[in-house]
Amino acid sequence: MDRINDFVNGLNNILFSMTTVYALLVTGLIYTIWSVFGQYRALTHGMKVIRGAYDDKNDPGAINHFQALSAALSATVGLGNIAGVAVAVALGGPGAVFWMWVIGILGMALKMTEVTQSMLSRDTSDPENPKGGPMFVVQQGFAGWGLKPLGTAIGGLFAVTAIISAITGGNMFQAWNVGDVTFTYFQVPQVVSGVILTVLVGLVIIGGIKRIGAFAGRIVPIMCGLYMLGAFVVLGLNITEVPAMFALIFKSAFSTAEASGAFLGGTAGYAAIWGIKRALFSSEAGQGSSPMAHSAAKTDEPVREGVVAGLEPFIDTIVVCTLTALVILSSGAYNRAPEAAFASESEFRIVAAPGENNWTVETAALPAMTNEARTIRRTPVGDAGWRLGETLFVVVEADPNQDTGRALRRITGTVARNETGDAFMVNWNTLSSVKPPVFRAGPDGKPDLGIYGDYAGASMTAYAFDRAVPGLGKILVTIAAWLFALSTMISWSYYGEQAVRFLFGNLSKSAQGLIVFGYKIFYCLCILLTTILAMPLFTNESGNKRAILATDVELDMWTTLGLGVMLVVNIPIMLLFGYKAMNAYHDYFRRMEAGGDDAHPPASMVDVVEGKDVQ
């Protein structure tokens, strides 16, 4: 497994290098200026479009603007907002939030551009299954230069990357987090969550884009409203902390964040990478995925759907991700105190482990959790507070970590029962370090013998809610995680389906249908497989039971792979053919300003949500 991890991480370092990040930022800036800050158009004209003011039942397409936006949002407003933000703040620190905002604003211009150019080249020959996306953009673009075979090859490459991203970020990331948060709070085995998710996703995606659009149009407003309401409750309770959190975000974006409690610190560059990475994963700006959902919209004006798409990063990143980040920061979840501490080093010591420069820890039975930790967990009187199978960590000083700018490192372990079953113990993993690790010094100068809960992804956000209102995270985040994950997996299955249809577009319709059906079955099975791999399946070198997908770092590795491959292919497509989108954009608004506004009174929200023809 370590060899696979090393290979994927090496590939990610190439795909998601600073060159890729800079290219995306520059591309977003180019189209922000070229569109004369089209973000404003998205927030004004875009809102009018999704209300149905321009809907025409005779326009080509399968679903209305609102349903297309909901389908795209159901893929973006998901566990990236709950789990991805938590990972960014936990590892990158408060400064990561600032860089998420930057991507959110520039992402609005990116979305407008990539969706508009896809609308210009979409295929509506099959009214029930309109097809579009960067693969069609590059195919038609190169065909115009007499290089169709090359365009088809590049389009095929993008289609392959879309399938990779659908399986990793759109599927594995979602399933893993649902399994993790459900197990954390309810001790439901991950595979049980996987079975339920597999069945629910399968029931929806078999019905195609119309069923997906109908599902998304109903579920997205509900899940966003529910989640935002809970966030406002927490922020209301911590309202005095919010101004300081904004100040901390700006300060940490340009300087090294100080280590405190469970947070190991982070350089400004590390914060930027995490903020950009998680914002990109959450909003999918520049990734080329959303155009595949928007291409199903019923309209004869490509720019209208492009402007609607510009709303996605605003809703996803500027609103929902910010609320999650403020909840985590204002509650103190990211730099939390230990859940428990050993009384002396006689109960807790660092020892050499098998293998060169490997270290682990030996501990006595776990002490009971602190009163604060027990209150947060709503632990019954007399219980120690620990959960079997949960991950803990201790902080030590070892070889320096160039990402955090400090020598602080974690050694993780899993909670288990002792041989007699009357106490909790920890099966500790190993840390590789040339320098022999020592316990870090606590605020009082003495060794920090604290035991910290390792909250990964959605579990961190749930914990943050629980710190403000004990029990709120358990209910709210678990429900939100299920709804967000379901909607995201359903939409990403459609993106993968569009990619499959492009790859096999030369086959007969019946052959395509058979291959697409096989893809859907495989996609659903991947959900189940991921939750199985999240369970303790093998024994590591220290003799401890371990899952193949065990930590937020390993999970991020796979989602980064999917994100990176799409970005590397889609950014050049945007730069080559974005001029077509900008020409159409300026032409459209010139016509609107010259009196070409053919709007009619907006439809009722019920009709808009249900996708009824309004004219």
Side-chain angles (χ1 to χ4, degrees):
M1 192 63 195
D2 288 339
R3 291 181 180 179
I4 295 176
N5 290 348
D6 290 341
F7 174 78
V8 175
N9 280 321
L11 189 59
N12 286 344
N13 289 335
I14 298 172
L15 293 171
F16 207 96
S17 64
M18 288 307 298
T19 301
T20 305
V21 171
Y22 290 144
L24 189 70
L25 293 174
V26 169
T27 304
L29 188 59
I30 287 172
Y31 290 118
T32 294
I33 296 172
W34 202 339
S35 66
V36 193
F37 293 90
Q39 290 89 339
Y40 171 77
R41 298 287 194 183
L43 294 171
T44 53
H45 189 70
M47 292 297 297
K48 192 174 180 181
V49 174
I50 64 171
R51 280 299 313 276
Y54 297 93
D55 285 1
D56 186 336
K57 62 184 179 181
N58 297 314
D59 284 344
I63 55 180
N64 67 17
H65 293 287
F66 179 82
Q67 289 181 323
L69 175 64
S70 296
L73 275 174
S74 68
T76 59
V77 179
L79 283 175
N81 302 84
I82 298 178
V85 175
V87 171
V89 174
L91 299 180
V97 181
F98 174 85
W99 297 105
M100 290 174 61
W101 293 338
V102 171
I103 290 298
I105 295 171
L106 295 180
M108 295 175 72
L110 289 168
K111 278 288 177 76
M112 285 190 295
T113 304
E114 61 181 346
V115 168
T116 299
Q117 67 181 17
S118 288
M119 292 294 291
L120 288 166
S121 60
R122 69 173 175 162
D123 177 6
T124 57
S125 57
D126 181 356
E128 296 298 312
N129 292 289
K131 298 185 286 291
M135 54 277 202
F136 293 95
V137 173
V138 70
Q139 184 184 56
Q140 291 187 21
F142 274 79
W145 299 338
L147 299 170
K148 185 175 180 179
L150 178 59
T152 300
I154 297 174
L157 178 60
F158 177 84
V160 171
T161 69
I163 294 171
I164 292 173
S165 200
I167 292 171
T168 55
N171 187 321
M172 292 170 60
F173 182 87
Q174 315 301 322
W176 189 93
N177 271 285
V178 168
D180 178 64
V181 75
T182 308
F183 175 77
T184 297
Y185 279 111
F186 298 98
Q187 296 294 290
V188 175
Q190 290 92 330
V191 69
V192 174
S193 296
V195 170
I196 297 172
L197 284 172
T198 301
V199 172
L200 292 177
V201 170
L203 289 175
V204 176
I205 68 175
I206 296 300
I209 185 58
K210 286 196 172 183
R211 185 180 294 178
I212 292 172
F215 174 84
R218 289 171 172 82
I219 199 69
V220 167
I222 294 173
M223 70 184 191
C224 285
L226 178 68
Y227 184 72
M228 290 170 65
L229 179 62
F232 283 128
V233 169
V234 174
L235 295 181
L237 295 173
N238 296 312
I239 193 66
T240 57
E241 300 293 326
V242 173
M245 293 302 102
F246 276 105
L248 181 63
I249 289 170
F250 283 102
K251 177 184 177 183
S252 300
F254 302 99
S255 62
T256 299
E258 294 299 321
S260 175
F263 178 56
L264 304 189
T267 62
Y270 195 49
I273 283 292
W274 275 105
I276 291 169
K277 184 189 296 184
R278 299 328 302 175
L280 286 173
F281 175 68
S282 179
S283 71
E284 300 174 18
Q287 193 173 344
S289 51
S290 288
M292 289 184 269
H294 286 286
S295 291
K298 188 177 293 187
T299 183
D300 61 354
E301 289 282 3
V303 175
R304 280 186 188 148
E305 193 59 27
V307 173
V308 167
L311 289 166
E312 286 178 45
F314 180 82
I315 297 170
D316 175 270
T317 306
I318 305 301
V319 178
V320 183
C321 284
T322 299
L323 287 174
T324 299
L326 289 177
V327 166
I328 292 171
L329 293 173
S330 65
S331 66
Y334 83 104
N335 60 349
R336 60 196 176 277
E339 265 82 353
F342 285 98
S344 68
E345 291 184 73
S346 63
E347 301 176 298
F348 193 1
R349 63 195 184 99
I350 301 171
V351 298
E356 186 178 0
N357 298 323
N358 284 339
W359 307 88
T360 188
V361 291
E362 292 181 351
T363 56
L366 278 171
M369 300 179 77
T370 64
N371 290 334
E372 179 186 23
R374 287 161 50 83
T375 299
I376 292 171
R377 290 197 174 189
R378 301 177 73 187
T379 303
V381 176
D383 285 2
W386 304 109
R387 302 183 181 113
L388 289 175
E390 73 174 304
T391 303
L392 307 179
F393 69 87
V394 296
V395 181
V396 299
E397 293 184 10
D399 289 346
N401 184 331
Q402 62 180 2
D403 294 325
T404 65
R406 290 176 173 77
L408 298 180
R409 307 286 294 276
R410 293 180 177 184
I411 300 179
T412 62
T414 304
V415 176
R417 288 282 189 182
N418 63 2
E419 293 181 357
T420 57
D422 59 355
F424 289 100
M425 58 174 289
V426 181
N427 292 322
W428 293 102
N429 296 313
T430 60
L431 170 69
S432 178
S433 175
V434 175
K435 176 184 175 182
V438 297
F439 292 114
R440 71 170 172 183
D444 57 0
K446 297 180 180 180
D448 178 5
L449 304 181
I451 305 294
Y452 296 86
D454 188 14
Y455 302 106
S459 297
M460 162 71 89
T461 304
Y463 173 75
F465 277 100
D466 282 341
R467 284 178 67 91
V469 181
L472 178 60
K474 177 178 182 178
I475 303 300
L476 176 64
V477 175
T478 302
I479 293 174
W482 274 85
L483 293 177
F484 282 25
L486 270 173
S487 65
T488 299
M489 287 189 284
I490 287 166
S491 291
W492 266 99
S493 73
Y494 177 71
Y495 297 163
E497 175 187 338
Q498 292 296 84
V500 170
R501 289 185 182 276
F502 180 85
L503 290 173
F504 298 96
N506 292 328
L507 299 181
S508 66
K509 193 171 182 178
S510 59
Q512 285 187 51
L514 186 62
I515 292 172
V516 168
F517 182 75
Y519 157 77
K520 290 178 179 179
I521 296 298
F522 174 74
Y523 187 87
C524 290
L525 290 177
C526 283
I527 301 170
L528 182 61
L529 177 63
T530 300
T531 52
I532 292 174
L533 296 181
M535 301 180 71
L537 295 176
F538 73 98
T539 304
N540 65 11
E541 293 180 356
S542 300
N544 300 323
K545 286 289 185 181
R546 193 174 183 280
I548 293 176
L549 295 174
T551 69
D552 51 358
V553 175
E554 289 168 340
L555 180 64
D556 175 73
M557 175 188 73
W558 291 104
T559 57
T560 298
L561 175 65
L563 172 62
V565 291
M566 289 190 77
L567 284 173
V568 167
V569 178
N570 191 51
I571 291 173
I573 295 175
M574 290 187 66
L575 291 172
L576 280 173
F577 302 108
Y579 74 91
K580 294 183 178 181
M582 287 295 98
N583 289 343
Y585 172 89
H586 288 294
D587 175 69
Y588 173 78
F589 281 108
R590 274 195 299 266
R591 287 188 282 116
M592 291 293 102
E593 292 166 1
D597 189 337
D598 56 349
H600 51 75
S604 71
M605 281 308 300
V606 173
D607 288 345
V608 169
V609 170
E610 293 183 351
K612 294 180 179 179
D613 289 327
V614 297
Q615 186 182 0

